[in-house]
Amino acid sequence: ETGVTQTPRHLVMGMTNKKSLKCEQHLGHNAMYWYKQSAKKPLELMFVYNFKEQTENNSVPSRFSPECPNSSHLFLHLHTLQPEDSALYLCASSQVGGFRDEQYFGPGTRLTVT
Amino acid sequence: AQSVTQPDIHITVSEGASLELRCNYSYGATPYLFWYVQSPGQGLQLLLKYFSGDTLVQGIKGFEAEFKRSQSSFNLRKPSVHWSDAAEYLCTSNNAGNMLTFGGGTRLMVKP
């Protein structure tokens, strides 16, 4: 596998369910990100992890809980979501170290909350 | 706070015609600027980037973009559009560590 992979690609869950999204990067990067892409809204940054430490939480509700066990894996744990949380969730990675390089994105998980 | 604006939500061009997608940014210093393309059901793929130096940058798939400081713009261009170019195009800037600010995107449709 190369690049950034995300599983599952599609997820339908009820408001009382608990599920997790997984992201894995095979690029040797040291930073990982979660973004939310809703219809008719710009891409929104949710969380940033640099060297496995969370450095940014963009006022995301606590029903979204990220986890970064190592520099290659990133999870987004979901519980008691709302229908407005239905969106495409994108994971990205980059190499951070004094140079603002581009981020590499995964294909996303299409989440539908019923 | 910095912002990125893409004034055109939808653009339709005929196959073979030229294309220009607009992007404006607001930031005091020169930001790092990127254009990404997103095909349906896919993640984002980097087309090109501008950090410094030559203001006309070449990217993949025949795209280019020109940085104009006086107009705070970074417009994306292609001389001849192909049907496979139909997608969502996202302009973004990075001027604070590794934080990206995205524009709202422009959806390109290509007529045969």
Side-chain angles (χ1 to χ4, degrees), chain B:
Chain B
Q2 64 169 322
S3 67
V4 176
T5 304
Q6 294 180 246
D8 304 304
I9 298 175
H10 298 280
I11 283 186
T12 300
V13 299
S14 298
E15 191 168 16
S18 63
L19 171 71
E20 181 167 23
L21 302 182
R22 296 184 291 165
C23 174
N24 294 98
Y25 67 91
S26 67
Y27 183 63
T30 300
Y32 288 8
L33 296 161
F34 308 83
W35 274 99
Y36 284 88
V37 61
Q38 184 179 27
S39 298
Q42 302 296 314
L44 279 63
Q45 181 183 21
L46 181 70
L47 285 175
L48 46 79
K49 59 188 177 183
Y50 173 76
F51 290 161
S52 65
D54 193 347
T55 56
L56 184 64
V57 293
Q58 301 298 319
I60 62 172
K61 305 186 179 187
F63 285 92
E64 66 177 27
E66 186 171 12
F67 171 68
K68 293 185 177 180
R69 184 189 302 277
S70 61
Q71 298 177 21
S72 296
S73 68
F74 187 57
N75 294 349
L76 182 70
R77 300 195 294 248
K78 186 170 184 177
S80 177
V81 169
H82 187 263
W83 64 267
S84 60
D85 293 324
E88 182 92 6
Y89 290 81
L90 295 156
C91 181
T92 181
S93 72
N94 177 349
N95 66 311
N98 54 341
M99 307 282 287
L100 291 181
T101 298
F102 281 86
T106 297
R107 178 156 298 278
L108 173 66
M109 290 172 280
V110 181
K111 293 189 299 184

